[in-house]
């Protein structure tokens, strides 16, 4: 009675063999419920590749229309319940407004939502959501429809997860406002690695810098006043605000980042805070502490040499030393000699460099051959130069010392 007459008007039903096959398949589907039913749905969806790029109606053929049209009586509700349970578990598509026949539970528990819905939750444009999905910052699926259009779906829980992650990040402007410092000083801290971003124009070509909030909180923690380290201003020669220090005392590049590192090591301690000055600028420090810090900064550290002296020490050209510093093979640090900025290399780093690396000119002198022929010979032995004229434009070849020694011993 619940079946419409046109449903039974099938020429195949007039054949006894066809009718037997249909009855057997129906019995297999209903046995061990709902496993047989789910297996049938698997076969239907696989036969309609690419099902995941289409809607549920196209993926499961007339099954959807039968369940919610022809078989809409309550006595067939067990079929619809099993079908929706299968969809909630297996369907990787989208449940949008077209599926009004599905229960509210199924539509609410779908694995994916549209980019438009995700954009509304995140308060951004759908195009931005597309970009985040493609970059992997938001979990989702991208499918190409038969029409050639690209369908982008977003995991249902991803907007809330992304919003939580975004709440733990600050833009450069927000971070500057938290710290209360100028854009120039903030850029100086980023350049020297005191503030580290995880996303930005120079990292992944994002339009805005993204800085972890805990990074800024750690910086603010360094300015926390420890009352056990306070001393009266009369004994220390007066106090000076950080704002005044930045304006008048830190005139050389790198002074402010070095000051922050000294502050984190508790070599300098904040004393008071002026409430009328915003951010960190109102923090008071002892003038004598600042003078001692700057005196250390302006003096050449013992055991360090200039880059020109490092070149003589290593027996290579000065421009090669500068290149080694740029590529990171030779460590150096910024300092001031007689109030002038300079780049220095510690003798410890020079000795470590000599233990780890060897110049092609040194090997050529030992073997009595040209550096170019030495580089070719070592390459045949499986030893590649780290820098050199044919690699990155350096004036000299530099090799790993231990590998060169092992290769020459084998040869």
């Amino acid at each position: 009675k619940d079946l419409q007459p046109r449903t039974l008007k099938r020429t195949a039903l007039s054949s006894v063999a066809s009718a037997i096959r249909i009855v057997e398949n129906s019995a297999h589907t209903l046995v061990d419920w709902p496993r047989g039913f789910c297996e049938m749905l698997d076969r239907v969806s696989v036969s309609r590749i690419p099902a995941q790029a289409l809607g549920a109606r196209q993926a499961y053929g007339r099954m959807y229309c039968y369940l919610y049209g022809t078989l809409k009586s309550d006595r067939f509700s067990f079929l619809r319940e099993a079908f929706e349970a299968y969809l909630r578990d297996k369907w990787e598509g989208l449940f949008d407004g077209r599926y009004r026949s599905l229960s509210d539970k199924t539509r609410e528990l779908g694995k994916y939502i549209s980019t438009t819905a995700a954009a509304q939750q995140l308060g951004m444009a759908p195009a931005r959501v597309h970009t985040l999905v493609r970059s992997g910052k938001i979990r989702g699926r991208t499918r190409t429809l038969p029409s050639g259009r690209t369908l982008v779906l977003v995991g249902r829980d991803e907007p809330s997860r992304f919003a939580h992650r975004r709440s733990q990040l600050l833009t450069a402007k927000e971070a500057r406002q938290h710290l209360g410092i100028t854009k120039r000083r903030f850029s100086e801290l980023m350049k020297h690695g005191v503030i580290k971003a995880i996303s930005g124009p120079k990292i992944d070509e994002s339009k805005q810098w993204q800085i972890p909030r805990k990074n800024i909180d750690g910086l603010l923690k360094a300015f926390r006043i420890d009352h056990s380290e306070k001393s009266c201003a009369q004994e220390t020669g007066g106090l000076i605000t950080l704002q005044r220090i930045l304006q008048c005392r830190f005139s050389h590049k790198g002074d402010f980042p070095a000051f922050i590192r000294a502050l984190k090591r508790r070599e300098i301690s904040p004393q008071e805070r002026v409430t009328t000055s915003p951010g960190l600028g109102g923090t008071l420090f002892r003038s004598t502490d600042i003078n001692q810090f700057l005196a250390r900064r302006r003096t050449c550290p013992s055991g360090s040499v200039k880059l020109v002296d490092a070149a003589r020490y290593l027996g290579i050209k000065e421009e090669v030393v500068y290149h080694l510093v740029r590529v990171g093979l030779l460590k150096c640090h910024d300092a001031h000699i007689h109030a002038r900025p300079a780049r220095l290399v510690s003798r410890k780093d020079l000795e470590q460099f000599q233990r780890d690396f060897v110049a092609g000119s040194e090997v050529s002198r030992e073997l009595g051959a040209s550096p170019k022929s030495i580089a070719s010979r070592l390459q045949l032995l499986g030893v590649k130069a780290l820098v050199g004229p044919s690699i990155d434009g350096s004036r000299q070849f530099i090799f790993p010392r231990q590998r060169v020694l092992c290769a020459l011993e084998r040869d």
Side-chain angles (χ1 to χ4, degrees):
K1 295 180 180 179
D2 296 296
L3 297 177
Q4 298 178 3
R6 62 182 174 83
T7 308
L8 298 176
K9 292 180 180 179
R10 302 289 298 276
T11 55
L13 294 178
S14 60
S15 170
V16 176
S18 300
I20 291 174
R21 187 172 64 254
I22 291 173
V23 171
E24 288 177 348
N25 290 338
S26 301
H28 176 74
T29 301
L30 297 174
V31 170
D32 193 14
W33 184 262
R35 185 176 63 83
F37 182 67
C38 294
E39 291 177 354
M40 181 201 68
L41 293 176
D42 287 337
R43 292 194 298 272
V44 170
S45 62
V46 169
S47 66
R48 290 173 172 268
I49 297 296
Q52 301 300 342
L54 307 174
R57 291 187 181 91
Q58 293 86 352
Y60 299 102
R62 295 184 179 180
M63 177 64 67
Y64 185 90
C65 298
Y66 285 157
L67 291 177
Y68 294 97
T70 307
L71 306 178
K72 61 183 178 181
S73 173
D74 291 342
R75 68 178 63 186
F76 297 107
S77 60
F78 74 98
L79 289 172
R80 291 189 290 274
E81 291 173 359
F83 179 67
E84 293 191 15
Y86 174 87
L87 289 181
R88 291 194 295 269
D89 183 50
K90 297 290 186 69
W91 179 245
E92 298 289 343
L94 179 66
F95 293 133
D96 53 16
R98 295 174 296 174
Y99 299 95
R100 297 185 182 90
S101 300
L102 296 178
S103 65
D104 294 339
K105 178 182 178 181
T106 299
R107 290 200 299 269
E108 292 172 358
L109 295 179
K111 293 182 179 181
Y112 295 92
I113 60 176
S114 65
T115 53
T116 303
Q120 291 175 350
Q121 294 182 32
L122 294 172
M124 60 177 61
R128 175 61 177 162
V129 178
H130 285 205
T131 303
L132 293 173
V133 172
R134 291 191 180 97
S135 64
K137 294 181 180 179
I138 290 182
R139 184 179 62 86
R141 299 178 70 92
T142 302
R143 297 292 181 183
T144 302
L145 301 179
S147 62
R149 294 174 58 246
T150 300
L151 176 66
V152 179
L153 303 179
V154 179
R156 180 170 293 276
D157 298 331
E158 282 302 297
S160 58
R161 293 178 182 174
F162 181 78
H164 175 70
R165 293 196 299 267
R166 189 170 61 174
S167 66
Q168 303 302 313
L169 299 175
L170 297 173
T171 63
K173 182 177 180 181
E174 292 170 342
R176 290 200 310 270
Q177 291 174 348
H178 275 69
L179 297 175
I181 58 178
T182 63
K183 185 176 181 179
R184 182 174 71 87
R185 292 298 186 181
F186 185 83
S187 300
E188 188 179 4
L189 294 180
M190 288 192 64
K191 180 180 179 181
H192 286 80
V194 178
I195 296 177
K196 297 180 180 180
I198 62 173
S199 176
K202 297 182 179 180
I203 299 175
D204 54 6
E205 298 184 356
S206 300
K207 293 183 179 180
Q208 288 187 327
W209 292 103
Q210 298 290 333
I211 302 165
R213 185 182 293 271
K214 62 180 181 181
N215 195 323
I216 303 301
D217 292 341
L219 191 56
L220 292 172
K221 186 178 179 181
F223 284 81
R224 187 177 57 189
I225 298 174
D226 187 351
H227 295 279
S228 63
E229 298 179 359
K230 288 174 59 178
S231 62
C232 62
Q234 289 78 7
E235 296 178 357
T236 59
L239 301 176
I240 184 173
T241 63
L242 178 63
Q243 183 178 6
R244 187 66 176 169
I245 295 171
L246 294 175
Q247 290 174 348
C248 304
R249 307 299 297 277
F250 291 169
S251 56
H252 297 295
K253 292 182 179 180
D255 282 349
F256 189 33
F259 173 77
I260 297 295
R261 294 190 180 97
L263 198 61
K264 289 183 176 181
R265 295 192 297 265
R266 308 310 291 179
E267 296 174 3
I268 303 173
S269 302
Q271 299 299 308
E272 297 286 350
R273 194 178 303 279
V274 180
T275 56
T276 55
S277 298
L280 302 178
T283 308
L284 291 166
F285 295 89
R286 291 191 293 259
S287 296
T288 52
D289 288 347
I290 303 302
N291 294 335
Q292 292 173 3
F293 166 76
L294 291 176
R296 292 192 299 270
R297 284 279 298 170
R298 302 296 186 260
T299 305
C300 180
S302 59
S304 297
V305 296
K306 296 180 181 179
L307 295 186
V308 61
D309 298 322
R312 297 192 188 100
Y313 182 86
L314 297 174
I316 57 180
K317 296 182 180 296
E318 183 178 351
E319 60 184 284
V320 177
V321 171
Y322 280 98
H323 185 76
L324 294 175
V325 170
R326 282 196 299 271
V327 299
L329 292 181
L330 182 61
K331 296 180 181 179
C332 78
H333 57 274
D334 295 328
H336 288 82
I337 302 176
H338 305 300
R340 293 185 178 183
R343 305 183 76 181
L344 304 177
V345 181
S346 67
R347 292 192 178 275
K348 181 180 178 181
D349 290 333
L350 284 176
E351 293 170 357
Q352 184 65 41
F353 181 89
Q354 279 197 318
R355 288 193 293 269
D356 295 340
F357 307 101
V358 60
S361 57
E362 181 180 343
V363 181
S364 65
R365 285 194 299 269
E366 292 290 333
L367 300 180
S370 67
K372 189 175 181 179
S373 62
I374 290 297
S376 301
R377 179 180 174 184
L378 289 176
Q379 187 171 6
L380 293 175
L381 296 175
V383 181
K384 295 183 179 180
L386 301 176
V387 299
S390 59
I391 299 174
D392 55 1
S394 175
R395 291 288 299 272
Q396 290 181 255
F397 289 102
I398 300 295
F399 300 91
R401 182 178 291 272
Q402 193 61 36
R403 294 192 62 185
V404 169
L405 294 176
C406 295
L408 292 178
E409 287 178 359
R410 292 196 306 269
D411 189 49

